[in-house]
Amino acid sequence: MGQSSLKFGSGTRSVEELEDLAFELRSKLLHLCGTYEGAVHIGGDLSAADILTALYEYGLNVDPSDLSNPERDRFVLSKGHAAVCMYIAMAMRGFFSYEGIVETYGQLDSAYGMHPCKVQLPGVECSTGSLGHGMPLAVGMALSARGRGETHRVVSLVGDGETGEGSIWEAAMAARSNELGNLVVFVDRNRQLMTSFAEERVAFEPYPDKWAAFGWNVVTIDGHDMAQLVGAIDALPATDSTRPTVVICETVKGKGVDFMEHNLAWHAGSLGAADLERAMESLEASRGKNKNKESV
Amino acid sequence: MPVTFTFGEMLSARSVIGTTLAELGDDYDNLWVLTPDIGATLVEFRDKFPQRFVDVGLAEQVCVSIAAGLAYEGNIPVVSGMLPFLSMRALEQVRSDVCYPNLPVKIIGTHGGLVGNGGSTHYAVEDLALMCALTNMTVTSVGDPLMVGEIIRQSMTMAGPIYIRLAVGKKDKVLYEPGQHEIRIGKGIVAREGTDATIFTHGTVVAQALDAADALERDGRSVRVVDMFTLKPIDEELIIRCAAETGGRFVVVEDHLAYGGLASRIADVIADRGLHLTAFERLGIPQVYAGFGEDEQLRDKHGYGLEATIAATRRVIAATT
């Protein structure tokens, strides 16, 4: 695509740059969570932050100045409650102003709400929020691309808890039946539901096998390892292939903030000023740890 | 090739759907047809446009969502299936995936009312109440098989979604001569003139209402029949006019729950507009899960068949202020 600087599988950013951007995204998320009085779905935002950074800054062929370009890749946030993570990732990519998000989030007449609405916020591809709806919409969009001989990808981010919805598996079958190799689903496999650890309530395992049994091309990676995310994006099959791909991203809910990680209390919440400072310190420390790990 | 049929002949609405869609597929290269395994009447479209035909199998929810995804991309999707399932199992998809972003998805289906003898799992009796509740949705219920084609044609240029309800759609009476009435979504049809009372109805029950009016004419009664095939937006002007012209005497008869369908839509207009009626009766399905039986038998059993319609109309005409 002519105007865009990015192309799926040929992103120009280095892994290190992407890691810095993911850190910035998390910092901005925490800042919003510390200043907005209402609840923010911070746990699932933090688990998805690396995936959304990799998509908006590396993988997706999109152009913030040309929202309706037919050749753009489509992104559908099926786990719609991570909207604010997507808004900020999009703002960092140049779609919106970050200040606009922080200043108006959740307020009357704001375009930025808890769940994304395409009508109120152009640039968002689909209105989502009810779990199990976004990925089926993506199937329809991928089918349209096929029908018109278009070569862009349709990418959806699905929460693993969301895959308890039957409609996800209807969509999984429909995608395979229609041979939609242009469809890519990233699963944010953070293994937590809102009130429980996932496996305690739902027998998701053997999880990759379930997708494989539905005929999908299955890739499993560490969803917080930017090199692996980039690798998975680079290795996506051609859009005219016949199998849809699922990239199962093993993640941690609340990733980067020690008191939020694996903590059921932080599905959604609000940080006061003191906790914001504590959260930022933890985020800085975790970044340091990662940097050390890399240099070893 | 346009199909022509004569008034009073029996015709399959399903075949009209099939023919119409196959025709429109030529004019609109963005027209898609989707079905959850109810595609027998869509064969013409499927054979002509296999790339734009999707049978998802038994999966109403994803069928509606895929249609929405196609519509987001500028396509015009038609979902065809059985209404008890499209209106209930896929209700949230219709509401949040189609109506919320106001996408031009057409939902067209059969088994509206106590028809088809499938038992209560297979009767759509709450569907009009559910669909009328949805913001952005246009709601229709069509009896005349030829009208179905016209409604589909008109809906092609609509910006938002439409729900088109049929009975079984295999063999229904052609009610109107071609060109006899202007057919326009949002406007009721005065199927028969009259001055003593108005029977409002929709769908295949229009034929029954016309029979009732014929029977009453033999007693010297002049009964108007309104085919209110669009329930939403409702034709308020026509309701107001009928109140004035037929002595404020209304009967509403429908193959739907007596509360929540057309009668409730009309009652809302009466209340909101402060109309002063002389008499109002509603006939429809009571709060029961109806059992098995032929369409007419079930209408009779549950109090909205031909005899009940005649009796209610007599009462309304006899009512004193």
Side-chain angles (χ1 to χ4, degrees):
Chain A
M1 179 165 148
Q3 292 297 308
S4 171
S5 59
L6 296 176
K7 190 77 189 172
F8 226 114
S10 63
T12 53
R13 293 196 188 277
S14 70
V15 167
E16 199 164 50
E17 283 175 312
L18 292 168
E19 285 170 346
D20 289 344
L21 288 164
F23 176 83
E24 185 185 337
L25 173 56
R26 284 196 169 85
S27 306
K28 287 181 156 134
L29 278 167
L30 290 175
H31 176 75
L32 185 90
C33 192
T35 50
Y36 176 62
E37 286 181 3
V40 174
H41 285 101
I42 191 68
D45 287 330
L46 290 170
S47 67
D50 297 301
I51 303 166
L52 282 166
T53 300
L55 287 174
Y56 274 102
E57 300 289 350
Y58 183 82
L60 291 175
N61 182 36
V62 289
D63 182 351
S65 65
D66 190 5
L67 299 182
S68 55
N69 189 318
E71 293 177 31
R72 74 194 186 280
D73 289 328
R74 313 303 199 259
F75 176 72
V76 180
L77 185 70
S78 202
K79 51 171 291 184
H81 55 290
V84 74
C85 190
M86 178 180 72
Y87 300 151
I88 297 175
M90 291 177 81
M92 289 169 60
R93 179 71 179 80
F95 281 86
F96 322 121
S97 113
Y98 168 66
E99 287 69 29
I101 299 170
V102 174
E103 285 161 16
T104 71
Y105 180 76
Q107 293 174 20
L108 184 65
D109 296 331
S110 173
Y112 307 102
M114 188 182 287
H115 301 102
C117 173
K118 182 194 169 69
V119 178
Q120 293 173 77
L121 187 61
V124 165
E125 294 284 356
C126 289
S127 300
T128 54
S130 179
L131 297 176
H133 286 239
M135 182 191 142
L137 291 169
V139 172
M141 296 166 89
L143 198 57
S144 176
R146 270 291 156 82
R148 293 174 176 169
E150 296 168 347
T151 57
H152 61 266
R153 278 200 168 81
V154 181
V155 179
S156 184
L157 176 60
V158 177
D160 62 343
E162 180 183 5
T163 61
E165 300 282 0
S167 53
I168 292 289
W169 301 102
E170 288 186 13
M173 278 193 281
R176 176 65 184 115
S177 305
N178 288 283
E179 304 193 326
L180 300 178
N182 55 349
L183 177 69
V184 182
V185 165
F186 285 78
V187 175
D188 182 358
R189 180 87 170 106
N190 64 31
R191 296 173 185 257
Q192 283 179 230
L193 310 178
M194 184 163 71
T195 56
S196 306
F197 293 98
E199 207 64 21
E200 291 175 358
R201 295 287 174 264
V202 184
F204 283 111
E205 292 292 354
Y207 194 70
D209 293 357
K210 286 190 165 61
W211 288 92
F214 279 72
W216 283 53
N217 174 37
V218 183
V219 182
T220 302
I221 61 167
D222 176 346
H224 300 307
D225 183 323
M226 200 54 82
Q228 289 192 36
L229 281 162
V230 163
I233 289 167
D234 287 345
L236 285 172
T239 57
D240 61 358
S241 61
T242 55
R243 277 176 199 273
T245 294
V246 59
V247 181
I248 299 170
C249 303
E250 291 290 349
T251 58
V252 173
K253 205 161 171 176
K255 175 70 179 176
V257 179
D258 54 4
F259 62 88
M260 290 181 175
E261 289 187 3
H262 303 292
N263 184 350
L264 292 172
W266 281 101
H267 170 76
S270 181
L271 286 162
D275 280 341
L276 173 58
E277 197 177 324
R278 200 156 65 93
M280 285 305 298
E281 279 167 16
S282 175
L283 184 64
E284 291 280 2
S286 78
R287 182 194 206 187
K289 245 186 299 180
N290 288 341
K291 292 251 170 190
N292 290 339
K293 194 175 67 187
E294 275 160 27
S295 59
V296 168
Chain B
M1 180 110 86
V3 207
T4 51
F5 287 87
T6 329
F7 173 77
E9 239 181 83
M10 301 302 257
L11 175 64
S12 151
R14 295 190 195 187
S15 73
V16 175
I17 296 170
T19 315
T20 306
L21 291 174
E23 266 173 44
L24 290 169
D26 282 322
D27 302 337
Y28 294 88
D29 64 3
N30 57 347
L31 174 67
W32 286 66
V33 175
L34 301 96
T35 182
D37 193 31
I38 309 287
T41 54
L42 308 170
V43 172
E44 254 181 292
F45 185 91
R46 185 196 67 194
D47 291 348
K48 233 171 131 181
F49 309 106
Q51 297 295 327
R52 291 187 271 138
F53 176 81
V54 185
D55 182 349
V56 295
L58 296 159
E60 289 79 13
Q61 298 176 75
V62 84
C63 193
V64 171
S65 294
I66 289 175
L70 287 164
Y72 268 120
E73 292 293 325
N75 299 291
I76 304 177
V78 175
V79 177
S80 176
M82 285 177 67
L83 296 180
F85 317 123
L86 287 176
S87 71
M88 292 190 289
R89 191 188 299 241
L91 177 61
E92 199 196 348
Q93 279 76 14
V94 172
R95 187 264 198 188
S96 293
D97 298 350
V98 173
C99 291
Y100 176 30
N102 197 25
L103 297 171
V105 174
K106 294 153 216 339
I107 294 165
I108 181 162
T110 59
H111 294 78
L114 301 183
V115 294
N117 203 1
S120 281
T121 54
H122 283 58
Y123 303 140
V125 301
E126 309 89 346
D127 61 320
L128 296 173
L130 298 169
M131 291 299 139
C132 283
L134 302 179
T135 299
N136 290 331
M137 182 62 95
T138 294
V139 182
T140 65
S141 168
V142 185
D144 183 301
L146 282 178
M147 256 174 74
V148 177
E150 179 55 27
I151 303 292
I152 294 173
R153 262 180 227 107
Q154 286 186 21
S155 75
M156 292 303 291
T157 51
M158 285 174 62
I162 184 169
Y163 181 81
I164 303 172
R165 181 201 220 226
L166 307 173
V168 173
K170 278 188 179 162
K171 203 179 170 197
D172 296 306
K173 201 185 272 184
V174 175
L175 300 171
Y176 312 121
E177 301 272 12
Q180 184 185 356
H181 299 288
E182 187 197 5
I183 292 162
R184 191 144 56 93
I185 294 168
K187 288 288 165 198
I189 294 171
V190 179
R192 180 195 169 101
E193 280 296 352
T195 53
D196 293 339
T198 304
I199 303 175
F200 292 95
T201 184
H202 57 82
T204 51
V205 183
V206 175
Q208 175 184 300
L210 289 169
D211 288 345
D214 280 346
L216 288 159
E217 187 180 34
R218 289 193 284 274
D219 294 351
R221 299 300 187 186
S222 163
V223 175
R224 180 177 296 187
V225 175
V226 170
D227 178 351
M228 200 63 108
F229 71 91
T230 310
L231 279 86
K232 184 173 173 239
I234 193 87
D235 187 349
E236 290 200 11
E237 186 273 332
L238 180 58
I239 295 167
I240 293 166
R241 187 152 60 84
C242 289
E245 292 173 358
T246 65
R249 298 167 197 274
F250 284 3
V251 173
V252 186
V253 54
E254 60 187 318
D255 202 356
H256 183 272
L257 289 179
Y259 289 82
L262 178 63
S264 295
R265 304 285 302 162
I266 291 175
D268 284 347
V269 175
I270 293 166
D272 291 349
R273 294 303 196 100
L275 301 183
H276 296 284
L277 295 193
T278 309
F280 179 90
E281 285 214 29
R282 66 173 87 203
L283 306 181
I285 305 166
Q287 287 278 304
V288 297
Y289 289 102
F292 303 103
E294 295 306 318
D295 308 357
E296 277 186 32
Q297 294 173 323
L298 289 171
R299 286 184 200 174
D300 287 341
K301 177 180 175 183
H302 293 293
Y304 63 102
L306 177 61
E307 290 310 317
T309 306
I310 294 170
T313 310
R314 281 192 210 285
R315 283 195 298 274
V316 158
I317 292 172
T320 51
T321 42

